[in-house]
Coordinates of all heavy atoms in Angstrom, one line a residue:
M1 N 142.8 116.5 89.4 CA 141.7 116.7 88.5 C 140.8 117.9 89.0 O 140.1 118.5 88.2 CB 140.8 115.5 88.5 CG 141.4 114.2 88.0 SD 140.3 112.8 88.2 CE 138.9 113.3 87.2
G2 N 140.9 118.3 90.3 CA 140.0 119.3 90.8 C 138.8 118.7 91.5 O 138.4 117.6 91.2
N3 N 138.3 119.4 92.5 CA 137.3 118.8 93.3 C 136.0 118.6 92.5 O 135.3 117.6 92.7 CB 136.9 119.8 94.4 CG 138.1 119.9 95.5 OD1 138.9 118.9 95.6 ND2 138.1 121.0 96.2
A4 N 135.7 119.5 91.6 CA 134.4 119.3 90.8 C 134.4 118.1 90.0 O 133.4 117.3 89.9 CB 134.2 120.6 89.9
A5 N 135.6 117.8 89.3 CA 135.6 116.6 88.4 C 135.5 115.4 89.3 O 134.9 114.4 88.9 CB 136.9 116.6 87.6
V6 N 136.2 115.3 90.4 CA 136.2 114.1 91.3 C 134.7 113.9 91.8 O 134.3 112.8 91.8 CB 137.2 114.3 92.5 CG1 137.0 113.1 93.5 CG2 138.6 114.3 91.9
A7 N 134.1 115.0 92.2 CA 132.7 114.9 92.6 C 131.8 114.2 91.6 O 131.0 113.4 91.9 CB 132.1 116.2 93.1
R8 N 132.0 114.7 90.3 CA 131.2 114.1 89.3 C 131.4 112.7 89.1 O 130.5 111.8 88.9 CB 131.4 114.9 87.9 CG 130.8 116.2 87.9 CD 130.8 116.8 86.4 NE 132.1 117.0 85.9 CZ 132.8 118.1 86.0 NH1 132.3 119.1 86.7 NH2 134.0 118.2 85.5
L9 N 132.7 112.3 89.1 CA 133.1 110.9 88.9 C 132.6 110.0 90.0 O 132.1 108.9 89.8 CB 134.6 110.8 88.8 CG 135.2 111.4 87.5 CD1 136.7 111.4 87.5 CD2 134.7 110.5 86.3
L10 N 132.7 110.5 91.3 CA 132.3 109.7 92.4 C 130.8 109.5 92.4 O 130.3 108.4 92.7 CB 132.7 110.4 93.7 CG 134.2 110.4 94.1 CD1 134.4 111.2 95.3 CD2 134.7 109.0 94.3
A11 N 130.0 110.6 92.0 CA 128.6 110.5 92.0 C 128.1 109.5 90.9 O 127.0 109.0 91.0 CB 128.0 111.9 91.7
S12 N 128.9 109.3 89.9 CA 128.5 108.4 88.8 C 128.7 106.9 89.1 O 128.3 106.1 88.3 CB 129.2 108.8 87.5 OG 130.6 108.5 87.6
Q13 N 129.4 106.6 90.2 CA 129.8 105.3 90.4 C 128.6 104.5 91.2 O 128.1 105.0 92.2 CB 131.0 105.2 91.3 CG 132.2 105.8 90.7 CD 132.5 105.3 89.3 OE1 132.8 104.1 89.2 NE2 132.5 106.1 88.3
S14 N 128.2 103.4 90.6 CA 127.1 102.6 91.3 C 127.7 101.6 92.2 O 127.0 101.0 93.0 CB 126.3 101.9 90.2 OG 127.1 101.1 89.4
N15 N 129.0 101.3 92.1 CA 129.7 100.3 93.0 C 130.8 101.0 93.8 O 131.1 102.2 93.6 CB 130.3 99.2 92.2 CG 129.2 98.4 91.4 OD1 128.2 98.0 91.9 ND2 129.5 98.3 90.1
T16 N 131.5 100.3 94.6 CA 132.6 100.9 95.3 C 133.7 101.1 94.3 O 133.8 100.5 93.3 CB 133.1 100.0 96.4 OG1 133.6 98.8 95.9 CG2 131.9 99.6 97.4
L17 N 134.6 102.0 94.7 CA 135.7 102.3 93.8 C 136.6 101.1 93.6 O 137.2 100.9 92.5 CB 136.6 103.5 94.4 CG 135.9 104.8 94.4 CD1 136.8 105.9 95.0 CD2 135.6 105.3 93.0
A18 N 136.7 100.2 94.6 CA 137.6 99.0 94.5 C 137.0 98.1 93.4 O 137.8 97.5 92.7 CB 137.7 98.3 95.8
R19 N 135.6 98.0 93.3 CA 135.1 97.1 92.4 C 134.8 97.7 91.0 O 134.8 97.0 90.0 CB 133.7 96.5 92.9 CG 133.8 95.7 94.1 CD 132.6 94.8 94.3 NE 131.4 95.7 94.3 CZ 130.8 96.2 95.4 NH1 131.4 95.9 96.6 NH2 129.7 96.9 95.4
D20 N 134.7 99.1 91.0 CA 134.3 99.8 89.8 C 135.3 100.9 89.6 O 134.9 102.1 90.0 CB 132.9 100.2 89.8 CG 132.3 100.7 88.5 OD1 133.1 100.5 87.5 OD2 131.2 101.2 88.5
P21 N 136.5 100.7 89.1 CA 137.5 101.8 89.1 C 137.0 103.0 88.3 O 136.3 102.9 87.4 CB 138.7 101.1 88.4 CG 138.4 99.6 88.5 CD 136.9 99.5 88.5
L22 N 137.6 104.1 88.7 CA 137.4 105.4 88.0 C 138.0 105.2 86.6 O 139.0 104.5 86.5 CB 138.0 106.5 88.7 CG 137.3 106.9 90.1 CD1 138.1 108.0 90.8 CD2 135.9 107.3 89.9
P23 N 137.5 105.9 85.6 CA 138.1 105.9 84.3 C 139.6 106.4 84.3 O 139.8 107.4 85.0 CB 137.2 106.7 83.4 CG 136.5 107.6 84.4 CD 136.3 106.8 85.6
T24 N 140.4 105.9 83.5 CA 141.8 106.3 83.4 C 142.0 107.0 82.1 O 141.2 107.1 81.2 CB 142.7 105.1 83.5 OG1 142.5 104.3 82.3 CG2 142.4 104.2 84.7
G25 N 143.2 107.6 82.0 CA 143.6 108.2 80.7 C 143.5 107.2 79.6 O 143.2 107.6 78.5
D26 N 143.9 106.0 79.9 CA 143.8 105.0 78.8 C 142.4 104.7 78.4 O 142.1 104.5 77.2 CB 144.5 103.7 79.3 CG 146.0 103.8 79.4 OD1 146.6 104.7 78.8 OD2 146.6 103.0 80.2
D27 N 141.4 104.7 79.4 CA 140.0 104.5 79.0 C 139.6 105.6 78.1 O 138.9 105.3 77.1 CB 139.2 104.5 80.3 CG 139.5 103.3 81.2 OD1 139.9 102.3 80.7 OD2 139.3 103.5 82.5
Y28 N 139.9 106.8 78.5 CA 139.5 107.9 77.7 C 140.1 107.8 76.2 O 139.4 108.0 75.3 CB 140.0 109.2 78.3 CG 139.9 110.5 77.5 CD1 138.7 111.1 77.3 CD2 141.0 111.0 76.8 CE1 138.6 112.2 76.5 CE2 140.9 112.1 76.0 CZ 139.7 112.7 75.9 OH 139.6 113.8 75.1
Q29 N 141.4 107.5 76.1 CA 142.0 107.5 74.8 C 141.4 106.4 73.9 O 141.1 106.6 72.7 CB 143.5 107.2 74.9 CG 144.2 107.3 73.6 CD 144.1 108.7 72.9 OE1 144.4 109.7 73.5 NE2 143.5 108.7 71.7
R30 N 141.1 105.2 74.5 CA 140.5 104.1 73.8 C 139.1 104.6 73.3 O 138.7 104.3 72.2 CB 140.4 102.9 74.6 CG 141.7 102.1 74.7 CD 141.5 100.7 75.3 NE 141.1 100.8 76.7 CZ 141.9 100.8 77.7 NH1 143.2 100.7 77.5 NH2 141.5 100.9 79.0
A31 N 138.3 105.2 74.2 CA 137.0 105.6 73.8 C 137.0 106.7 72.7 O 136.2 106.6 71.8 CB 136.2 106.2 75.1
R32 N 137.9 107.6 72.8 CA 138.0 108.7 71.8 C 138.4 108.1 70.4 O 137.9 108.5 69.4 CB 139.0 109.8 72.2 CG 138.6 110.5 73.5 CD 137.2 111.1 73.4 NE 137.0 112.1 72.3 CZ 135.9 112.6 71.9 NH1 134.8 112.1 72.3 NH2 135.9 113.5 70.9
N33 N 139.4 107.1 70.5 CA 139.8 106.5 69.2 C 138.6 105.7 68.6 O 138.4 105.8 67.4 CB 141.0 105.6 69.5 CG 142.3 106.3 69.8 OD1 142.4 107.5 69.6 ND2 143.2 105.6 70.4
A34 N 137.9 105.0 69.5 CA 136.7 104.3 68.9 C 135.7 105.2 68.3 O 135.1 104.9 67.3 CB 136.1 103.4 70.0
K35 N 135.5 106.3 69.0 CA 134.5 107.3 68.5 C 134.9 107.8 67.2 O 134.1 108.0 66.2 CB 134.2 108.4 69.5 CG 133.1 109.4 69.2 CD 133.7 110.6 68.6 CE 132.6 111.6 68.3 NZ 133.2 112.9 67.7
E36 N 136.2 108.2 67.1 CA 136.7 108.8 65.8 C 136.6 107.8 64.7 O 136.3 108.1 63.5 CB 138.1 109.4 66.0 CG 138.2 110.6 66.9 CD 137.3 111.7 66.5 OE1 137.1 111.9 65.2 OE2 136.6 112.4 67.3
E37 N 136.9 106.5 65.0 CA 136.9 105.5 64.0 C 135.4 105.3 63.5 O 135.2 105.1 62.3 CB 137.4 104.2 64.6 CG 137.4 103.0 63.5 CD 138.0 101.8 64.1 OE1 138.4 101.8 65.3 OE2 138.0 100.7 63.4
Y38 N 134.5 105.4 64.5 CA 133.1 105.3 64.1 C 132.7 106.4 63.2 O 132.0 106.1 62.1 CB 132.2 105.3 65.4 CG 130.7 105.2 65.1 CD1 130.1 103.9 65.0 CD2 130.0 106.3 64.9 CE1 128.8 103.8 64.7 CE2 128.6 106.2 64.6 CZ 128.0 105.0 64.5 OH 126.7 104.8 64.2
V39 N 133.1 107.6 63.5 CA 132.7 108.7 62.6 C 133.3 108.6 61.2 O 132.7 108.8 60.2 CB 133.2 110.0 63.2 CG1 133.0 111.2 62.3 CG2 132.4 110.3 64.5
R40 N 134.6 108.1 61.2 CA 135.2 107.9 59.8 C 134.5 106.8 59.0 O 134.6 106.8 57.8 CB 136.7 107.5 60.0 CG 137.6 108.6 60.5 CD 139.1 108.3 60.3 NE 139.5 107.2 61.1 CZ 139.9 107.3 62.4 NH1 140.0 108.5 62.9 NH2 140.2 106.2 63.1
G41 N 133.7 106.0 59.7 CA 133.0 104.9 59.0 C 131.9 105.5 58.1 O 131.3 104.8 57.2

């Protein structure tokens, strides 16, 4: 991902990585699909 992206993601975590996993590609895709479906509404 690059150092800058990892730093942003780490800074945004309020819990440990084990309890609060970083977003995955699947998380991103689901969110984008949901957003596009909302717009189509």
Side-chain angles (χ1 to χ4, degrees):
M1 298 175 62
N3 291 338
V6 172
R8 283 195 297 272
L9 290 170
L10 289 173
S12 69
Q13 301 304 299
S14 58
N15 302 309
T16 65
L17 290 178
R19 293 198 307 267
D20 192 6
L22 295 175
T24 67
D26 290 341
D27 296 332
Y28 169 77
Q29 187 59 57
R30 282 192 294 269
R32 297 307 296 167
N33 289 344
K35 184 260 182 179
E36 294 303 323
E37 182 178 359
Y38 180 87
V39 171
R40 287 193 297 271

